[in-house]
Amino acid sequence: MARTLTFKIFRYNPFDENSVPKMQEYKLDETPRLNLYSALYRIKDELDPTLMFDFVCRAGICGSCGMTINGRPTLACRTLTKDLPDVIELHPLPFFKMLGDLSVDTGIWFREMAQSVESWIHTEKEFDPTAEEERMDNKIANDIYENERCIECGCCLAGCATAQVYTDFLGATGLNRIGRFMIDPRDKRTQEEWFELVSTDEGVFGCIGMMGCDDVCPKDLPLLEVFAYVRRKMMVSLTAK
Amino acid sequence: MGQVFTTDVLIIGAGLAGERVAVESAKNGLDVTLLSLVPPRRSHSSAAQGGMQASLGNSNKGAGDNPTVHWLDTVKGSDWGADQEVARIFADNAPIAMREMAHYGVPWNRVVGGPTDYFIKGKKVTLEEPKENEGLITARDFGGTAKWRTCYTADGTGHTVLYAMDNLVSQYGITVHDRMEAISLIHENNRCYGAIVRSLKEGSLNIYYAKSTVIATGGYGRIYGASTNAVINEGTGVSIALDTGEIPLGNMEAVQFHPTGIVPTDILVTEGCRGDGGLLLDVDEYRFMPDYEPEKQELASRDVVSRRMKEHMLKGKGVKSPYGDHLWLDLRHLGEKHLKTKLREVYDICMYFIGVNPITELVPVRPTQHYSMGGIRVNKDGHSYNMEGLFSAGEAACWDMHGFNRLGGNSLAETIVAGMVVGEAVSEFTKGTELKISSSLGEKFRKIQEDKITQFYNNEGKDTVIQIRNEMAEILSNYVGIFRTGDGLKKAVDDLKTLYKRAINVKVVTKTAGRNPELTEAIKLPGMVKLALTIAKGALDRTESRGAHTREDYPARDDENWLNRTLARWPEGADEPTLTYEPVGLLDLPPGDRGYGGGQMVKMDKSLDEYNKIVDKLQKESGKLDTLEKIGEKLPKELWKES
């Protein structure tokens, strides 16, 4: 027998002065292979055109649809209702600025993060359009890609104990970004520069090791290894001083 | 209300093409503002998996490649619908663009010298990768190409290139306004001055004045409903160009169906699956493609493979499912290691979205709407026809290197090559112009949009947005799909005309502060139906088959009558577009057989010289603006004879 699902969805419109935060209920018949992307569009199209949420690729690639599903931050598009109980509670991701219902402003936060970790290759070299590309070991390319797979969904920050109390914390995504550039031989930042960037409370010392990030990362990024790598690099530069 | 912003270069759309134009403009010292529906890294460019074509020729199967071979593949792939000079500009610059992105941090997969195992045409082979090229950018096989030329980072190529590009945007400190939707251009006397932009955060209507405006909003697959495109690919950027009544859209009937959308959900799995050796099987688990295409097999161009798949399903060889017929993609023989590294996104998609493990099971696939070859018609500098100061690049544009079919790996590469080339032209134009405009012009255009919004609240129509969208999608998939007929297209045009009237009469029921999702969708709905109608009308009037445009009642490619590009304008107040035609561009490679796909041909009587002699004149009469260099400067004569 097909189930009737009960969705309890957090509702609040910060641009409407009469809006008060509340949970609203919707009922939906479950269909085979239903995921939360299809379910939320059905609720919007059939039951309530005012419901706000964010999807873009609907294929687990773009990172738009991070939300809290029965208490756990994850990607809605990749979540099948068959793996959930009859009652499904949806909240927006904590930590980010609320834009309306399940929609939060990740754009501003991630752009500031990119600025603060200077998320680009630091090099004196100019690009020479007539020259052959600089060679790179394929293994290093693969290692960089492993970290580069972060999709900025924000789930790691939502699952992070430190980030909830200390909003300047770079979080797993920020530290992972730093790690990505540290292993990239094209980036010529020095040990001192890395040390300045990372050895702060916003950086790697802010982490208290609960590893909620690692539990929830939908891309299975090797965050434990990344943290260990970044810490080790910092220890090396400390002992070298 | 809203705010007023002024900038040198306003770029609408922050995917790869838009961001590359932004970077080029910033390098030239210009003040740039990037607008995006979403945080830029979420743009649909990020979803491109397989790779970017560039003739670096570093791998074993890439040996002997060069821009001319790439150009030949591209022109043949287009079924001679491409502008051959633009295809040349693209092929010449693609290797530079790949190397540039390597410089800026893309972790391209690299050549590993020594014996390496591959699957080619269903057989396992061991090739010796050249030791002397160890560490250079490698490439995989894609459809319709003579060489292995598709540069990649596993199957996250769009993601890594977009992230590297967005890093540059940060590095240059370019202004980014995300969650912004441009809903009208500001223009007067065939000169564009910026756009009216609605905030998708608080719902305000803002005026952006700019010396140059660039539309890089990607495709509009969502009008088909079932599409591999992201939900944001609704074509608003293209339709606001059409709304001016001045700018023509080129070749809107040229719509690409990708062979491997998964069933259900329509999510794409990359052409790299077949490039790396994946096979297509039918209901009997029989490999049918070699019967249709003995030479290219699974790796003919996308239009041909999609057509063959559909043809095979029509013979009753599809697999029945509750979601309609499909075929199988077999990746099992590639093995766990390959699927969990080089095709990792594909593995994840199959596992998470349809519960199929591609290591042990067959993947259900069928041809699905994927790409729009058509778009805003621009000259080779990316400058739009008839509208000074408006540029376009990437999928939104009809630049036109793809003609009636684009090759896999050529669009992602186009974004950064066009971004570079058009970015230079934008910079040159912007530096040589001033913003001379009265402030009332922006207010006038904002007022028009305010009135439209009020009208949506006051409308009496009984339809909801979703009803209209569903009907539009049904019409397009029934009559404007892979196989088309005159009768079906006539019905599509008539039905869409009725639907357009209903679309402008939709009533928005709820009036809420902020973005109001119901209003957001209503605002762009009429524009979407207009695009649908432009596609259907173009397809109805084009009485031949070329590339992805297949007419069952006109099966031959007709070079005598139809070696041209459709231009669609929408005059103010009209209920359908007006179509005119222009030559495709200078011909260097004479029209001929593609070497795959079969089909008949009607030969052109004219000589190439006769055709070429009037190209520039006829294109200018069609609205083409002057280019920085004169026509043909970038198209060296008959280089292809040496390759």
Side-chain angles (χ1 to χ4, degrees):
Chain A
M1 251 263 312
R3 291 192 296 171
T4 300
L5 301 171
T6 303
F7 286 85
K8 294 186 176 172
I9 301 180
F10 178 85
R11 301 298 311 271
Y12 176 59
N13 180 357
F15 300 101
D16 177 359
E17 52 193 30
N18 299 317
S19 174
V20 267
K22 62 172 181 189
M23 297 300 285
Q24 191 165 345
E25 259 190 47
Y26 304 93
K27 303 263 188 206
L28 213 58
D29 290 333
E30 189 173 34
T31 50
R33 287 180 177 145
L34 183 67
N35 61 23
L36 288 191
Y37 159 72
S38 304
L40 283 167
Y41 267 92
R42 272 181 57 198
I43 292 172
K44 182 172 78 68
D45 291 341
E46 296 166 20
L47 303 172
D48 188 345
T50 66
L51 186 63
M52 289 180 267
F53 48 75
D54 294 319
F55 288 96
V56 177
C57 76
R58 55 79 171 97
I61 292 171
C62 76
S64 300
C65 63
M67 61 180 70
T68 306
I69 301 168
N70 286 347
R72 185 183 171 82
T74 192
L75 299 179
C77 71
R78 265 184 17 176
T79 303
L80 299 171
T81 56
K82 74 170 174 59
D83 300 326
L84 297 172
D86 298 350
V87 179
I88 299 168
E89 278 196 32
L90 303 178
H91 287 85
L93 286 186
F95 183 77
F96 297 100
K97 188 182 166 200
M98 140 78 49
L99 289 176
D101 303 339
L102 300 172
S103 173
V104 294
D105 195 339
T106 54
I108 302 274
W109 190 90
F110 277 99
R111 193 148 290 282
E112 282 171 3
M113 183 273 276
Q115 288 295 348
S116 69
V117 307
E118 300 191 3
S119 169
W120 52 84
I121 300 279
H122 289 55
T123 178
E124 295 290 305
K125 273 188 206 151
E126 292 284 323
F127 172 66
D128 176 0
T130 61
E132 186 178 87
E133 65 271 25
E134 220 171 288
R135 290 176 192 239
M136 179 184 273
D137 189 88
N138 193 51
K139 187 182 172 311
I140 294 179
N142 284 330
D143 289 347
I144 296 169
Y145 178 60
E146 189 61 20
N147 291 13
E148 186 91 309
R149 293 187 305 108
C150 171
I151 55 172
E152 299 194 347
C153 61
C155 289
C156 60
L157 289 157
C160 172
T162 304
Q164 305 317 310
V165 291
Y166 184 53
T167 49
D168 287 341
F169 183 47
L170 288 171
T173 181
L175 293 171
N176 178 67
R177 183 67 53 82
I178 291 168
R180 178 248 174 273
F181 284 101
M182 272 184 177
I183 60 173
D184 194 325
R186 293 166 292 197
D187 196 311
K188 304 299 183 199
R189 273 178 271 192
T190 61
Q191 281 292 339
E192 287 73 39
E193 287 172 294
W194 287 125
F195 192 80
E196 281 286 293
L197 191 60
V198 181
S199 298
T200 58
D201 287 347
E202 291 84 39
V204 80
F205 296 137
C207 171
I208 53 170
M210 308 268 285
M211 298 314 286
C213 53
D214 197 57
D215 290 342
V216 298
C217 175
K219 300 308 272 188
D220 298 320
L221 293 173
L223 296 172
L224 281 166
E225 288 158 44
V226 173
F227 290 3
Y229 175 80
V230 172
R231 283 210 180 91
R232 204 162 55 239
K233 276 279 240 191
M234 289 309 94
M235 291 313 288
V236 169
S237 70
L238 266 181
T239 48
K241 274 191 172 177
Chain B
M1 264 307 273
Q3 291 174 271
V4 178
F5 300 90
T6 304
T7 185
D8 290 334
V9 182
L10 176 69
I11 299 171
I12 303 168
L16 274 174
E19 288 207 330
R20 186 63 187 83
V21 175
V23 167
E24 194 63 33
S25 306
K27 277 184 187 170
N28 276 281
L30 296 165
D31 180 54
V32 183
T33 302
L34 262 174
L35 303 179
S36 180
L37 290 174
V38 294
R41 289 178 191 229
R42 312 216 189 286
S43 302
H44 194 46
S45 301
S46 74
Q49 299 161 358
M52 293 188 171
Q53 279 205 46
S55 57
L56 293 165
N58 296 326
S59 67
N60 177 309
K61 287 288 217 176
D65 202 6
N66 61 50
T68 302
V69 183
H70 187 184
W71 173 81
L72 272 171
D73 285 342
T74 303
V75 174
K76 286 179 190 169
S78 80
D79 223 357
W80 274 267
D83 180 316
Q84 296 190 11
E85 185 181 16
V86 168
R88 189 82 219 186
I89 293 169
F90 164 73
D92 285 346
N93 282 293
I96 298 169
M98 298 310 125
R99 290 179 176 133
E100 186 182 53
M101 291 319 295
H103 180 79
Y104 290 129
V106 171
W108 297 114
N109 279 62
R110 304 293 178 134
V111 173
V112 179
T116 311
D117 292 338
Y118 296 102
F119 281 93
I120 301 175
K121 295 184 180 175
K123 290 189 188 69
K124 190 168 182 172
V125 290
T126 304
L127 299 176
E128 189 70 19
E129 287 300 337
K131 282 254 176 14
E132 65 275 20
N133 289 346
E134 175 95 21
L136 296 177
I137 298 170
T138 192
R140 59 166 39 129
D141 200 7
F142 254 46
T145 63
K147 303 282 178 186
W148 291 20
R149 170 187 310 130
T150 305
C151 310
Y152 63 95
T153 48
D155 57 353
T157 313
H159 170 90
T160 59
V161 180
L162 183 62
Y163 271 47
M165 195 69 83
D166 196 56
N167 286 339
L168 282 174
V169 168
S170 291
Q171 189 178 354
Y172 280 97
I174 292 167
T175 304
V176 176
H177 292 176
D178 71 13
R179 294 180 185 264
M180 287 288 186
E181 184 150 56
I183 57 173
S184 166
L185 293 171
I186 301 168
H187 61 100
E188 192 173 54
N189 301 328
N190 297 74
R191 171 76 167 92
C192 181
Y193 295 104
I196 303 299
V197 179
R198 183 164 179 268
S199 162
L200 300 180
K201 291 182 184 175
E202 81 269 5
S204 57
L205 284 185
N206 306 281
I207 299 171
Y208 283 77
Y209 288 120
K211 291 176 185 169
S212 334
T213 305
V214 184
I215 297 180
T217 49
Y220 29 89
R222 280 286 142 191
I223 63 175
Y224 273 81
S227 167
T228 65
N229 285 190
V231 299
I232 54 171
N233 297 134
E234 301 178 313
T236 317
V238 176
S239 68
I240 63 175
L242 186 64
D243 284 342
T244 62
E246 300 288 342
I247 303 165
L249 306 184
N251 282 348
M252 291 294 283
E253 63 271 32
V255 178
Q256 178 166 86
F257 288 76
H258 193 291
T260 57
I262 60 171
V263 182
T265 74
D266 308 312
I267 297 172
L268 178 76
V269 294
T270 171
E271 183 155 321
C273 292
R274 283 170 293 130
D276 291 2
L279 305 173
L280 292 170
L281 307 181
D282 67 12
V283 65
D284 307 319
E285 299 190 16
Y286 171 75
R287 188 174 165 228
F288 58 93
M289 275 308 293
D291 295 349
Y292 293 101
E293 296 294 332
E295 180 52 35
K296 288 279 180 189
Q297 307 180 355
E298 275 86 355
L299 287 171
S301 61
R302 288 179 180 173
D303 58 331
V304 171
V305 178
S306 289
R307 205 150 48 227
R308 298 305 197 188
M309 289 170 77
K310 184 99 185 173
E311 198 178 332
H312 201 61
M313 286 193 283
L314 289 171
K315 287 181 186 164
K317 291 293 182 184
V319 183
K320 303 269 177 242
S321 88
Y323 307 98
D325 286 8
H326 63 76
L327 293 158
W328 298 116
L329 176 65
D330 187 1
L331 302 172
R332 297 171 298 184
H333 51 291
L334 302 184
E336 177 162 357
K337 182 164 175 261
H338 191 100
L339 286 167
K340 285 190 170 173
T341 54
K342 288 194 174 174
L343 295 172
R344 182 176 181 154
E345 286 295 338
V346 169
Y347 174 80
D348 279 354
I349 285 168
C350 292
M351 291 293 279
Y352 279 110
F353 292 93
I354 52 173
V356 168
N357 182 348
I359 300 167
T360 54
E361 295 173 274
L362 298 172
V363 182
V365 295
R366 72 173 156 229
T368 308
Q369 194 285 341
H370 179 61
Y371 188 82
S372 321
M373 272 74 76
I376 298 169
R377 179 65 185 136
V378 296
N379 67 17
K380 65 174 168 173
D381 300 333
H383 212 159
S384 76
Y385 277 33
N386 269 351
M387 188 64 71
E388 204 189 12
L390 182 76
F391 295 78
S392 183
E395 190 176 349
C398 180
W399 186 27
D400 173 8
M401 56 171 276
H402 305 303
F404 277 77
N405 174 66
R406 94 163 157 82
L407 298 181
N410 257 358
S411 70
L412 201 59
E414 179 192 15
T415 61
I416 59 171
V417 175
M420 188 162 82
V421 173
V422 175
E424 283 168 19
V426 166
S427 301
E428 178 119 359
F429 174 84
T430 312
K431 284 192 258 182
T433 189
E434 281 174 65
L435 195 60
K436 278 184 282 187
I437 183 179
S438 87
S439 64
S440 62
L441 188 67
E443 295 298 344
K444 178 183 129 188
F445 276 86
R446 175 153 66 186
K447 179 78 172 45
I448 294 171
Q449 294 308 314
E450 277 169 355
D451 291 348
K452 260 191 199 162
I453 288 169
T454 311
Q455 188 62 42
F456 278 119
Y457 287 121
N458 294 338
N459 271 343
E460 300 289 328
K462 296 275 179 277
D463 299 298
T464 61
V465 171
I466 194 67
Q467 273 167 333
I468 305 272
R469 285 183 65 144
N470 287 344
E471 283 184 44
M472 170 172 65
E474 203 177 312
I475 295 167
L476 288 175
S477 58
N478 284 346
Y479 305 113
V480 203
I482 295 176
F483 289 106
R484 303 163 175 184
T485 65
D487 289 345
L489 290 166
K490 178 82 179 54
K491 181 166 167 46
V493 168
D494 291 344
D495 290 354
L496 287 167
K497 278 165 79 169
T498 314
L499 204 61
Y500 176 62
K501 291 198 187 92
R502 286 163 56 196
I504 49 181
N505 204 24
V506 154
K507 180 174 179 61
V508 176
V509 180
T510 45
K511 204 169 186 171
T512 61
R515 80 168 96 156
N516 190 353
E518 192 188 356
L519 177 66
T520 304
E521 294 193 358
I523 290 172
K524 55 196 161 199
L525 184 67
M528 292 172 79
V529 183
K530 279 167 83 169
L531 295 184
L533 195 41
T534 307
I535 295 169
K537 183 83 161 71
L540 173 63
D541 286 12
R542 182 172 284 274
T543 49
E544 66 153 356
S545 292
R546 184 181 298 273
H549 171 66
T550 309
R551 284 286 296 261
E552 288 182 280
D553 42 354
Y554 294 93
R557 190 183 90 198
D558 181 353
D559 291 331
E560 174 61 17
N561 296 299
W562 288 104
L563 191 57
N564 60 23
R565 181 177 300 107
T566 309
L567 298 176
R569 288 183 176 79
W570 197 293
E572 205 180 323
D575 67 346
E576 65 170 12
T578 309
L579 305 186
T580 58
Y581 298 89
E582 65 166 9
V584 294
L586 295 180
L587 301 175
D588 183 47
L589 184 71
D593 181 27
R594 303 161 90 187
Y596 47 81
Q600 315 148 25
M601 252 174 2
V602 178
K603 284 215 164 92
M604 177 169 77
D605 269 350
K606 286 189 268 301
S607 70
L608 290 197
D609 282 345
E610 283 174 281
Y611 186 94
N612 286 342
K613 157 171 97 193
I614 46 169
V615 167
D616 197 37
K617 178 175 170 283
L618 292 178
Q619 290 189 336
K620 281 181 172 153
E621 284 170 14
S622 295
K624 184 174 76 172
L625 301 182
D626 287 340
T627 44
L628 295 174
E629 286 181 331
K630 67 178 200 291
I631 189 168
E633 293 280 299
K634 287 282 193 289
L635 185 64
K637 267 197 137 172
E638 298 186 342
L639 269 186
W640 55 272
K641 284 191 171 167
E642 292 156 30
S643 73

